[in-house]
Amino acid sequence: MKKSVLFILAILVAFNISAQLDRSTPPKPGPAPKVNIGKAKTFELKNGLKVFVVENDKVPVVSYTLSLDLDPLVEGEKAGYASLAGDLMSAGTTNRTKAEIDEAVDFIGASLSTRASGMQASSLKKHSDELLDLMTDVLYNPSFPTEELEKSQKQMLTGLKSQKDDPKAIDSNIKSVLRYGKNHPYGEILTEESVQAITVDDLKSYYNTYFRPNIAYLVIVGDISVKEAKKQAKKYFASWESKEVPTYKYDMPKAFEQPKVVVANKDGSTQSNVSLSYNINLKPGHPDAIKARVMNQVLGGGSFSARLFQNLREDKGFTYGAYSSLSSDELVGSFNAGASVRTSVTDSAFTEIIYEMKRMRTELVPSDDLQLVKNSLTGSFSRSLEDPATVARFALNIEKYNLPEDYYETYLEKLNAVTPEDVKAMADKYITPENALILAVGDVPNMKASLQKFAKDGKVMMYDFYGNEVKAMPLPADLTADKVIKNYIDAIGGSEAVTAVTDYVLEGSMSVQGMALNMKMYSRRPNHQCVETYMQGNLVSKQVFNGEAGKMVSPMGEQKIEGEMLENMKTESILFPETQYAELGFKLELLGADNVDGKDVIKMKVVNPSGKEQTVYFSRTSGLKVKEVSTTPQGTMSSTFIEYAEVNGVKFPKKMNQSVGPQSFDIVFETIKVNEGIDANKFDI
């Protein structure tokens, strides 16, 4: 009974207190919290190496980060050699092979990585001397093995192939070239030619020129005292020889005088990657930096409440996410806003992005909205202080950018002092859509015309993956789709020779994700096909179509092919279907002139009897098929025909590249057999 009375009293008291609270008005924010950031201890070796030490004994781990204070470098015809030099420093030394380095690092449970601007290593404190022995061997004695360079070049070339079908990679390349110029370090892009031109001597030259202690910082963080750090620094790094390092100066790239509207083609794409970007003059630590960051956070800096996100996703339903970034940089800062949207709303997306940008300049941000942004940034900053490496990074920034000693200690005070008027002032200064590069990557024929309204002169220019303007020659007035197909049939051997082919076998090899595979394709008239894939001599997959039914065989067992996939197999198994387009019910549409990897081509849409679309490119000079692009459930599939071989008077693709989504691989057909007969059992279902 007494407990019941106590419960009732407690409820009444709680109700009374609640009634007296006014929850309609949020509490006013308190003053910015004072930040007590630990000081990094610093000292300098006689060779000019500056050392920063941050003690943290919470875990028995020590990390060593070596950073070079380099001016960005123009690499010219060998673009990519600096990053390769950095990556391959740890690929072998004059004392150890790559395998021996990896084994030694693994044995002590450490990590060791290198890059063009330095290196990083970490281990338990008890293994720090063994780690530093490895780290300095890599620092002083890199050998840059030829076989490791060749392996890395192949990986870079494979990456380039896959990037050609990646809208974001296309967007990045074009923005780099157009905003900075190809003779600016930020405007250089990798090409097959630049990667293949890199030699071991180039890597050694980069290392010998730029890896010098007088432009380097060594940051030591972890369970180590300043006394211990000094001892290690002198023991392992004092012998590092200093040398004058070249410095470079670059002019600020010129801004666009008016919006520059550009498109880039991504065949088979149902979406457009849209971006609006330009350069800004904003150095690290500039008095505007904190206020400008707040302004961008309101506009599109990553939170769900940002205006671009709310407009393009929540209100319009154009995209899964829309964001903006505003970055400071010693050379050239940048602003970028963008999203991935449905092709049909490409122009509408730009309209809304520009609307929100202009609204930042015409309306004051409501105080409540601004406070939410400042609270978020305060939380991010405070959480970052939990990592001891943050203290070292702050100390390094103060040194590199000549910031005030209390820059980070007063960061939250400066952040908390930002007003709606400050945000508007930053928008007035840094939000300039009238000088932007407006770029859309996607299905050009379905979006180009709608973007003309964003250009004052109505011109929409087209660029390729390498940032080169595409100036396709106009097609002859009397050219038709049927003539293009006839030219193709003539190019591969002529109708008579093609019709005489009753069967053929293609045997080739390819590499997928580092795995070597062999493939055999058996084709027989009228529409029988069998494709077998082997790994190390073992069959891993088999697809068979006997003219009516199909099946797939894999380690998971047999599966009957039905529905859309079966319909596709019916048309794909037809030998030289181009010779029968009219009878089979294919629909052709001439799309115009284009450019593929520097080659002038004729672009055509081909729709098979089941309604599946494919974009096909034919060389304007040879008439041969250059590329095919189609959309699959796995993503956009692209096949590029690099080389043909003639057998029995008919040309077959001998070397080709295929990409599906992010995957890209080369196929080389070493053996092509024509009219030698194929056992009928090969097509049994």
Side-chain angles (χ1 to χ4, degrees):
M1 184 65 180
K2 290 183 179 179
K3 287 184 179 180
S4 299
V5 173
L6 290 174
F7 288 153
I8 292 172
L9 288 173
I11 292 171
L12 290 173
V13 171
F15 180 83
N16 188 48
I17 293 174
S18 177
Q20 295 178 45
L21 292 176
D22 181 5
R23 298 185 184 277
S24 62
T25 303
K28 293 183 179 180
K34 293 188 177 296
V35 180
N36 295 315
I37 300 175
K39 295 287 186 180
K41 306 297 191 297
T42 63
F43 58 89
E44 185 173 332
L45 301 185
K46 291 181 179 180
N47 58 9
L49 177 65
K50 296 181 177 65
V51 184
F52 295 79
V53 184
V54 178
E55 300 180 43
N56 186 293
D57 58 3
K58 291 182 179 179
V59 290
V61 173
V62 185
S63 69
Y64 305 86
T65 302
L66 189 69
S67 299
L68 303 178
D69 190 8
L70 295 171
D71 288 331
L73 175 69
V74 175
E75 300 174 47
E77 295 179 351
K78 298 191 177 186
Y81 83 88
S83 64
L84 275 178
D87 292 342
L88 294 182
M89 280 185 65
S90 55
T93 71
T94 54
N95 302 310
R96 297 176 173 92
T97 64
K98 182 180 187 302
E100 289 172 336
I101 293 172
D102 293 341
E103 183 179 357
V105 170
D106 290 342
F107 184 75
I108 59 175
S111 65
L112 173 64
S113 61
T114 57
R115 59 187 185 280
S117 60
M119 57 199 308
Q120 193 276 335
S122 178
S123 75
L124 292 173
K125 180 178 181 178
K126 64 181 180 180
H127 297 310
S128 60
D129 282 303
E130 294 101 305
L131 177 65
L132 287 170
D133 181 65
L134 287 166
M135 183 177 181
T136 49
D137 184 26
V138 169
L139 176 63
Y140 298 148
N141 310 304
S143 60
F144 302 106
T146 300
E147 63 274 15
E148 293 296 331
L149 170 59
E150 292 174 350
K151 188 187 301 181
S152 294
Q153 285 173 310
K154 288 181 181 178
Q155 292 172 345
M156 292 178 79
L157 292 172
T158 300
L160 274 174
K161 289 176 182 176
S162 63
Q163 288 175 11
K164 289 181 180 180
D165 282 315
D166 180 355
K168 291 184 178 180
I170 299 170
D171 173 273
S172 177
N173 274 9
I174 295 174
K175 282 194 296 193
S176 296
V177 172
L178 295 186
R179 283 173 40 197
Y180 304 107
K182 290 187 176 181
N183 295 321
H184 190 281
Y186 294 171
E188 287 190 315
I189 59 174
L190 292 182
T191 66
E192 288 83 355
E193 292 76 16
S194 72
V195 172
Q196 291 168 340
I198 298 169
T199 66
V200 168
D201 287 340
D202 296 322
L203 310 187
K204 291 181 177 179
S205 175
Y206 179 86
Y207 161 75
N208 288 321
T209 303
Y210 298 104
F211 270 77
R212 295 295 171 180
N214 42 301
I215 61 160
Y217 302 95
L218 176 63
V219 177
I220 305 175
V221 179
D223 188 12
I224 188 170
S225 66
V226 175
K227 182 178 180 181
E228 291 171 318
K230 282 185 178 180
K231 183 179 178 181
Q232 286 186 340
K234 290 177 180 178
K235 178 180 178 181
Y236 292 101
F237 296 95
S239 60
W240 191 9
E241 294 183 9
S242 61
K243 182 181 177 181
E244 185 175 350
V245 175
T247 58
Y248 306 96
K249 300 294 182 183
Y250 304 96
D251 294 331
M252 181 74 176
K254 292 183 179 180
F256 299 120
E257 295 181 357
Q258 60 185 27
K260 186 177 182 69
V261 183
V262 170
V263 293
N265 200 47
K266 173 68 172 68
D267 284 313
S269 179
T270 58
Q271 290 190 316
S272 300
N273 189 91
V274 301
S275 67
L276 187 152
S277 64
Y278 49 85
N279 303 329
I280 60 174
N281 187 6
L282 181 63
K283 309 295 184 186
H286 188 279
D288 286 348
I290 295 174
K291 291 181 284 188
R293 185 183 180 191
V294 172
M295 181 273 296
N296 179 70
Q297 199 76 2
V298 174
L299 175 61
S303 69
F304 290 165
S305 61
R307 291 183 174 182
L308 291 178
F309 193 96
Q310 286 293 314
N311 184 327
L312 274 74
R313 172 178 163 142
E314 299 301 323
D315 183 27
K316 304 299 187 305
F318 290 167
T319 179
Y320 286 112
Y323 307 97
S324 67
S325 63
L326 189 146
S327 306
S328 61
D329 186 86
E330 288 183 276
L331 281 187
V332 189
S334 65
F335 173 85
N336 187 80
S340 181
V341 303
R342 303 189 309 278
T343 302
S344 60
V345 297
T346 303
D347 60 326
S348 300
F350 279 122
T351 297
E352 296 306 322
I353 291 172
I354 294 171
Y355 165 76
E356 292 296 349
M357 292 175 69
K358 290 182 176 180
R359 189 157 74 97
M360 293 295 300
R361 301 190 308 193
T362 57
E363 299 178 10
L364 289 177
V365 178
S367 297
D368 290 348
D369 293 350
L370 177 59
Q371 191 59 48
L372 287 174
V373 168
K374 292 194 289 187
N375 290 346
S376 175
L377 293 175
T378 296
S380 298
F381 181 83
S382 301
R383 286 190 298 274
S384 73
L385 298 178
E386 297 173 4
D387 183 358
T390 299
V391 178
R393 178 167 55 85
F394 287 171
L396 190 58
N397 288 346
I398 289 171
E399 173 73 22
K400 286 178 64 176
Y401 304 128
N402 196 29
L403 304 179
E405 287 291 330
D406 64 348
Y407 182 82
Y408 292 102
E409 290 181 350
T410 59
Y411 181 89
L412 292 183
E413 293 178 22
K414 293 191 283 279
L415 174 62
N416 193 60
V418 176
T419 65
E421 288 75 18
D422 291 331
V423 171
K424 184 177 180 300
M426 293 300 98
D428 289 337
K429 187 172 183 179
Y430 295 109
I431 300 300
T432 58
E434 57 273 9
N435 304 117
L437 171 63
I438 296 176
L439 171 59
V441 181
D443 188 1
V444 168
N446 288 321
M447 66 180 183
K448 184 176 181 180
S450 68
L451 301 181
Q452 292 176 344
K453 59 189 174 188
F454 298 107
K456 285 188 176 181
D457 56 6
K459 291 183 179 179
V460 178
M461 304 175 74
M462 186 172 176
Y463 283 77
D464 64 15
F465 173 77
Y466 301 100
N468 299 316
E469 186 179 355
V470 177
K471 294 182 178 180
M473 297 171 59
L475 295 178
D478 61 344
L479 186 66
T480 65
D482 290 336
K483 286 184 179 180
V484 174
I485 295 302
K486 183 182 182 305
N487 291 340
Y488 167 68
I489 294 171
D490 290 342
I492 62 174
S495 179
E496 185 176 343
V498 169
T499 305
V501 176
T502 59
D503 62 67
Y504 64 80
V505 180
L506 305 179
E507 298 182 5
S509 59
M510 58 183 170
S511 178
V512 180
Q513 295 183 338
M515 297 182 295
L517 301 175
N518 296 100
M519 185 174 69
K520 296 181 180 181
M521 177 186 293
Y522 302 85
S523 297
R524 187 179 70 173
R525 287 192 188 274
N527 57 347
H528 291 60
Q529 189 176 77
C530 175
V531 181
E532 298 173 340
T533 306
Y534 296 84
M535 183 169 61
Q536 297 180 346
N538 299 311
L539 182 69
V540 293
S541 73
K542 179 178 179 180
Q543 294 182 48
V544 184
F545 182 72
N546 66 2
E548 295 181 358
K551 74 174 180 179
M552 181 182 296
V553 181
S554 71
M556 304 298 292
E558 291 190 10
Q559 178 184 351
K560 185 178 180 181
I561 297 176
E562 298 176 315
E564 182 181 348
M565 188 173 181
L566 180 63
E567 292 301 315
N568 291 335
M569 289 189 76
K570 287 181 180 179
T571 53
E572 290 171 1
S573 61
I574 299 171
L575 269 69
F576 306 103
E578 293 85 0
T579 62
Q580 308 172 60
Y581 272 170
E583 307 94 277
L584 295 172
F586 279 75
K587 296 179 181 179
L588 310 178
E589 180 184 349
L590 203 60
L591 298 178
D594 209 330
N595 187 283
V596 174
D597 295 338
K599 301 174 184 175
D600 285 330
V601 296
I602 298 166
K603 183 177 178 181
M604 181 187 296
K605 181 166 72 174
V606 178
V607 184
N608 71 22
S610 63
K612 183 179 179 182
E613 292 186 6
Q614 188 178 51
T615 305
V616 187
Y617 300 82
F618 298 91
S619 169
R620 295 188 66 164
T621 54
S622 70
L624 291 170
K625 191 180 297 183
V626 174
K627 187 177 182 180
E628 293 178 341
V629 180
S630 59
T631 302
T632 72
Q634 292 75 35
T636 300
M637 184 172 77
S638 173
S639 300
T640 303
F641 305 98
I642 302 168
E643 183 181 340
Y644 283 79
E646 185 175 319
V647 181
N648 286 18
V650 178
K651 291 181 179 178
F652 293 83
K654 178 179 176 61
K655 185 177 181 182
M656 58 189 292
N657 173 262
Q658 278 199 332
S659 63
V660 182
Q663 300 296 330
S664 176
F665 45 89
D666 291 319
I667 304 174
V668 178
F669 294 108
E670 294 92 356
T671 303
I672 303 174
K673 302 175 183 178
V674 178
N675 291 345
E676 294 189 6
I678 302 174
D679 191 333
N681 294 332
K682 182 62 70 174
F683 307 101
D684 285 347
I685 299 297

